[in-house]
Amino acid sequence: MTTGATAIPAIAQGAGTVTLSGRVQDAPSGQPIAYLTVQLRRQRDTAFVAGRLTDSTGAFVFTNLARGEYVLDLRRIGYAPLSRQVFVGELSRFLDVGMLKMEPAAPALDKVTVTATRDEVANAMDRKSYTLAENMAQSGGSVVQAMASLPGVTVTQDGKIQLRGSDKVAVLIDGKQSALTGVASQAGLENLPASAIERIEIITNPGAKFDANASAGIINLVLKQAKQEGFNGSVGFTGGAGSLWSRRDNLPDVRAQRLFTPKLNPNLALNYRRGGTNSFLRGDWLHSPTMNKNEFATRTYSDGTVITQQILRNRRTDYATLNGGVDHAFDAHNSLTVSALFNREKILDDGDNPYFAGGLGNRYRLWQFLEDEVKYTAFASTVFTHRFPQPGHVLTVTGNYSFHREDEQYFFTNTLSTFTGEDAFKLLSDEHIGDLNVDYVRPLPQGRLELGFKGRYRSIPVNMQFFPGPQSPIDSGAGGWATYREKIPAAYATYVFEAPTLEVEGGMRVEQVLLDYEVNPDHNTYRSDGYRYFQPFPTVRFAWKPANNHKLSLFFNRRVDRPNEVDIRIFPKYDEPELIKVGNPGLQPQFTTSVDLGYRAAWSSGSLYAAGYRRIVDATITRIATQAPGSPILYNVFQNAGRSWITGSELVWQQTVSRGVSLSTNANVYRTTIGAFSVLNRYPIPVTFTANRESLISGNFKVNANLLLPGRVDARVSSIYLAPDLFPQGRIGARYALDMGLRRNVQQGRGELVFNASDLLNTNQVRRTLTGADFRYVSTDYLETQVVRMGYTWKF
């Protein structure tokens, strides 16, 4: 586990983020009243706040308003004075009081209440925002490492991100889905450099505007982009090393573990702004050899057979990203943003996998492998924004195209007692995604209205070729081609209302999904399949504010997790020859209903956030391992495993203790329950698996301490404990990590030096237990978690 972002959510919000607008006209004639003085006063003491003159159309605008209750005063000789109560809240950045009509020598109209807010991202109860500007404990690492210390976030053994116990998380970049981080789930985060990210937004209760996929929530990565006038930028370099020593000696016949693996992360950002045009370019390169896996396992079968094995995988990764674009404002109402991102990931894996029957003196197989893989991602986006004269009244049209290529080759040496065979396979997969989004936002006197449409087409043709040697475990009949096609039209509507003590948000998203998976007709097990659905996905939120800086909220939503292409991919994956992973083209979506009760309080030196939640999942997607009859080989196949539940509570507390000490604590405790189920694994031959109901209480506890040390050195210490957790067929053991980082500004603030160390005590190791009908698999992975880094950044 590692730390990175400042794990203190922006619960209290600064002033000066709301814009209030309106128009004034003569009531009898309907003509605008130009150059009328409009005054804004505080309601509690009538103190003057600001004054404006209406323009030739009768319009007025107040900007940079803080939360509070105000009164608008309109006065002119010949007209009756007019007053309106205005409430500036926390849910909308723009408010519009509409048309104010002044009556000649008539009494004032009845009062109208208006609602508004400042930064929706920072203060909305459905999400929390974390800046990486203070990323001293994980500078130079990956996004996954930077997220490990965030409240509610867990990183699994295989680098998956979990929110509140579930890995059904969608990851966006600047609010957009792309093949770089996964469209229907998450991918590639273990190598995406944290140095490219400005902040991380965690959205545990997404509204109707977001795609209905990903029941656990959404993580939005906001890329760094400067917008200062003129030419500016930054350059930085971080270097370090991992695997400082061996945590466990190899089994016999295994090549040496790779130690002192180097970590290099140079990055460069350039920005030029002149008038209404802003151009930006950013490049990041992450060179990160790692001991990606070092798992020691024992398989015990019902017939008494005991197999001992080790999987040692050394990985070299070179990950380069180039991101650039132009923002151009044609005039005050129309702007265009064109941006592009290109990424290349090169992976070289080599390793050993010995198998021993009975004892370490009886090795019956040595499986050695070399993986040579290149991944390319290109993403292009065009955003046209039309701003109506009314502030906050916006129409946005977005077109996105994403391309991802996976070019992978595996070479195996299969050494048995009597012979040595050579095996190989080659996979080529291209992903094409086209999106069209139309979003409309209109401010209202007490909130806002949002409407939108989204259309998506996605295709992934895959070709797999197997080249088995003598007595190979590779299934040559499982090769061929398959094509994944997905069409999704969707529409949404959201209404937000806010008053001094009440907030209401109601939304509805309607999606139609047409998915076809066409399979090579010569495949030895699977046939073409797919699914269809037309479903509504409602979102409702109520909030009560009994006092300033206190809020109680109730959320309800319904979401879906659509199987990703790799979940239904028919081709087996030979990470090791006796535990083989394969997809399932008959896999169906899982639907989730969630309820969340949250409370937030803030005071001058700290804040508190508490929540209780429950998620009910139907057709739970998971892998199920079964034994091939007459063989020790296990096949891990995706299945729908019936109904499951997660019920839990979360607490985030932050406190500034003194000028030099601040603390942040997060506790997340939940019970996972998996109902009884029975499934049929069809590959390579049909095998039925039946499981009884299981339940386990799990959670995680994190403490972050920020310290100001002598010599103007900032320090951060992070402690993370993950309790044992449950998954179908097994459990994951407890894990613990201690991380720390130091930072000092130099060169009058233009330079920054950072030192950090993750898993300082080298205690983070993963123990798994997998139980099947006729076997028990127990493993401990001593993968690389301890890394030290030092970096320097210069801003110009």
Side-chain angles (χ1 to χ4, degrees):
M1 290 298 156
T2 54
T3 64
T6 301
I8 302 174
I11 292 180
Q13 187 177 34
T17 59
V18 175
T19 297
L20 175 71
S21 63
R23 291 177 179 268
V24 185
Q25 70 174 207
D26 177 80
S29 67
Q31 294 298 311
I33 301 178
Y35 313 117
L36 169 75
T37 298
V38 181
Q39 293 186 349
L40 190 68
R41 299 180 181 275
R42 284 202 304 262
Q43 182 175 344
R44 69 175 184 269
D45 56 9
T46 71
F48 177 80
V49 176
R52 297 288 187 272
L53 288 176
T54 60
D55 62 17
S56 60
T57 66
F60 64 89
V61 177
F62 289 92
T63 59
N64 299 326
L65 297 182
R67 184 184 188 277
E69 295 181 68
Y70 302 90
V71 175
L72 278 173
D73 280 333
L74 291 77
R75 297 180 183 274
R76 171 169 283 190
I77 297 174
Y79 288 92
L82 179 61
S83 296
R84 288 289 183 272
Q85 290 183 354
V86 178
F87 171 67
V88 173
E90 299 175 341
L91 300 183
S92 300
R93 293 180 57 196
F94 298 92
L95 292 176
D96 178 40
V97 297
M99 190 64 71
L100 302 178
K101 298 182 179 182
M102 297 191 71
E103 296 283 351
L109 300 176
D110 293 335
K111 294 180 179 179
V112 177
T113 301
V114 180
T115 314
T117 46
R118 290 153 262 181
D119 186 17
E120 186 180 5
V121 171
N123 211 24
M125 285 277 292
D126 68 332
R127 67 182 75 184
K128 295 176 282 294
S129 181
Y130 303 89
T131 178
L132 293 190
E134 302 299 314
N135 188 7
M136 68 189 81
Q138 194 50 51
S139 177
S142 72
V143 168
V144 165
Q145 295 162 342
M147 286 195 283
S149 68
L150 299 185
V153 175
T154 304
V155 178
T156 66
Q157 178 185 14
D158 55 357
K160 283 279 190 178
I161 297 297
Q162 291 184 334
L163 287 178
R164 294 176 171 179
S166 172
D167 66 356
K168 304 306 179 185
V169 179
V171 180
L172 313 181
I173 294 182
D174 288 337
K176 305 179 187 71
Q177 291 184 331
S178 77
L180 181 65
T181 56
V183 171
S185 55
Q186 50 176 297
L189 297 177
E190 68 274 10
N191 292 317
L192 184 63
S195 59
I197 307 302
E198 177 69 28
R199 68 178 186 275
I200 299 173
E201 299 171 355
I202 298 178
I203 308 171
T204 52
N205 295 283
K209 180 178 181 179
F210 293 97
D211 191 288
N213 198 68
S215 60
I218 292 172
I219 293 177
N220 184 33
L221 307 177
V222 181
L223 298 178
K224 290 181 178 179
Q225 181 182 340
K227 292 189 176 183
Q228 296 97 324
E229 193 70 25
F231 179 75
N232 53 84
S234 66
V235 60
F237 178 83
T238 301
S243 292
L244 303 183
W245 56 72
S246 175
R247 304 170 74 176
R248 178 172 173 177
D249 292 337
N250 287 336
L251 298 183
D253 307 318
V254 175
R255 286 173 290 184
Q257 300 175 18
R258 185 176 297 171
L259 301 178
F260 292 97
T261 54
K263 316 294 179 185
L264 306 174
N265 177 213
N267 58 83
L268 173 68
L270 303 174
N271 194 86
Y272 180 72
R273 183 180 186 89
R274 184 178 180 86
T277 303
N278 184 70
S279 303
F280 58 92
L281 180 69
R282 181 176 181 90
D284 291 86
W285 181 58
L286 185 64
H287 174 70
S288 181
T290 61
M291 187 168 62
N292 180 257
K293 194 177 188 70
N294 190 22
E295 183 180 86
F296 296 78
T298 300
R299 279 180 280 148
T300 305
Y301 292 89
S302 57
D303 64 359
T305 301
V306 178
I307 296 174
T308 302
Q309 65 182 80
Q310 179 186 357
I311 308 173
L312 174 64
R313 181 190 299 146
N314 293 311
R315 170 169 292 182
R316 170 176 169 163
T317 302
D318 291 284
Y319 195 92
T321 303
L322 187 67
N323 178 39
V326 177
D327 302 319
H328 177 70
F330 298 102
D331 52 41
H333 300 292
N334 299 285
S335 63
L336 181 69
T337 298
V338 179
S339 62
L341 183 148
F342 177 78
N343 171 263
R344 180 184 184 271
E345 181 180 6
K346 174 68 173 178
I347 297 174
L348 285 173
D349 279 352
D350 64 83
D352 293 359
N353 190 182
Y355 296 85
F356 301 86
L360 296 182
N362 183 26
R363 193 200 77 192
Y364 69 90
R365 185 197 297 273
L366 176 60
W367 179 268
Q368 296 175 305
F369 58 89
L370 171 66
E371 178 188 10
D372 186 348
E373 182 178 7
V374 182
K375 297 180 182 180
Y376 299 95
T377 302
F379 179 72
S381 178
T382 300
V383 182
F384 174 76
T385 304
H386 174 70
R387 298 173 179 83
F388 296 88
Q390 173 193 10
H393 189 186
V394 178
L395 175 68
T396 306
V397 181
T398 304
N400 301 319
Y401 171 73
S402 185
F403 170 78
H404 179 74
R405 165 164 288 185
E406 182 180 351
D407 189 350
E408 180 179 355
Q409 300 178 81
Y410 258 103
F411 303 94
F412 307 102
T413 301
N414 185 26
T415 302
L416 297 171
S417 57
T418 57
F419 79 100
T420 297
E422 300 293 332
D423 307 278
F425 71 72
K426 179 176 176 57
L427 180 143
L428 182 65
S429 170
D430 286 345
E431 182 174 10
H432 305 268
I433 309 166
D435 284 337
L436 176 65
N437 298 270
V438 180
D439 299 291
Y440 173 79
V441 181
R442 177 163 187 169
L444 299 173
Q446 293 180 267
R448 68 182 184 277
L449 175 68
E450 298 180 350
L451 303 172
F453 165 82
K454 178 178 181 177
R456 164 172 292 163
Y457 177 75
R458 184 179 179 213
S459 70
I460 310 176
V462 180
N463 187 280
M464 172 72 86
Q465 301 177 60
F466 288 110
F467 308 96
Q471 300 186 37
S472 170
I474 285 184
D475 180 6
S476 60
W481 57 266
T483 301
Y484 174 104
R485 294 186 181 91
E486 179 184 74
K487 300 175 184 176
I488 307 178
Y492 73 90
T494 300
Y495 172 70
V496 177
F497 169 86
E498 187 176 11
T501 60
L502 178 67
E503 296 175 2
V504 179
E505 178 179 339
M508 177 65 74
R509 186 180 186 91
V510 179
E511 287 188 350
Q512 182 177 22
V513 173
L514 309 171
L515 188 139
D516 295 294
Y517 191 64
E518 188 178 0
V519 173
N520 174 17
D522 297 329
H523 193 274
N524 57 15
T525 302
Y526 290 125
R527 298 294 177 263
S528 299
D529 212 325
Y531 58 83
R532 307 279 192 278
Y533 71 74
F534 179 78
Q535 293 279 346
F537 298 96
T539 300
V540 180
R541 181 175 71 87
F542 297 96
W544 176 53
K545 299 176 285 188
N548 286 339
N549 299 321
H550 292 268
K551 182 185 291 187
L552 183 68
S553 287
L554 177 66
F555 295 90
F556 168 85
N557 65 26
R558 182 174 183 265
R559 296 181 64 78
V560 65
D561 293 288
R562 299 186 293 269
N564 206 358
E565 185 270 337
V566 294
D567 300 339
I568 64 178
R569 183 178 287 181
I570 60 174
F571 310 113
K573 185 173 179 62
Y574 291 88
D575 288 334
E576 57 172 293
E578 299 188 9
L579 179 58
I580 297 172
K581 298 177 181 178
V582 66
N584 174 12
L587 198 64
Q588 298 294 301
Q590 68 174 32
F591 293 90
T592 301
T593 302
S594 300
V595 178
D596 188 312
L597 179 64
Y599 169 74
R600 184 184 66 207
W603 51 95
S604 60
S605 59
S607 59
L608 174 71
Y609 171 80
Y613 55 90
R614 180 173 175 84
R615 288 199 300 264
I616 303 174
V617 182
D618 289 302
T620 304
I621 295 175
T622 187
R623 283 193 185 271
I624 298 298
T626 54
Q627 181 182 0
S631 168
I633 297 178
L634 305 179
Y635 291 90
N636 220 357
V637 184
F638 273 109
Q639 293 284 2
N640 293 109
R643 173 169 283 194
S644 60
W645 303 263
I646 294 181
T647 304
S649 59
E650 182 181 8
L651 180 70
V652 181
W653 171 74
Q654 181 267 329
Q655 181 67 47
T656 299
V657 179
S658 65
R659 181 178 176 273
V661 180
S662 64
L663 300 175
S664 175
T665 299
N666 166 230
N668 186 34
V669 179
Y670 54 88
R671 175 184 288 274
T672 301
T673 302
I674 302 172
F677 65 91
S678 180
V679 297
L680 178 67
N681 273 4
R682 297 185 180 276
Y683 185 87
I685 60 175
V687 176
T688 299
F689 176 79
T690 300
N692 297 320
R693 179 186 175 110
E694 289 188 278
S695 185
L696 180 70
I697 295 177
S698 183
N700 51 75
F701 183 74
K702 306 174 184 180
V703 178
N704 298 306
N706 291 334
L707 310 171
L708 179 60
L709 302 180
R712 297 180 290 116
V713 175
D714 294 317
R716 180 181 178 85
V717 180
S718 182
S719 177
I720 305 172
Y721 171 76
L722 305 178
D725 208 350
L726 179 71
F727 64 92
Q729 284 193 281
R731 300 190 178 191
I732 298 176
R735 289 162 284 165
Y736 173 75
L738 180 69
D739 308 338
M740 60 83 66
L742 302 172
R743 184 192 65 213
R744 189 178 190 278
N745 289 327
V746 295
Q747 299 168 300
Q748 290 81 43
R750 287 186 172 270
E752 182 180 89
L753 292 171
V754 175
F755 170 81
N756 57 58
S758 61
D759 194 15
L760 194 62
L761 305 180
N762 215 14
T763 54
N764 185 17
Q765 56 197 40
V766 183
R767 181 179 175 85
R768 281 176 87 241
T769 301
L770 179 67
T771 304
D774 300 302
F775 70 90
R776 181 179 174 85
Y777 183 100
V778 180
S779 66
T780 302
D781 197 343
Y782 299 89
L783 73 168
E784 176 185 304
T785 56
Q786 188 180 65
V787 180
V788 295
R789 294 183 177 90
M790 181 174 291
Y792 169 76
T793 300
W794 178 58
K795 298 178 181 179
F796 55 89

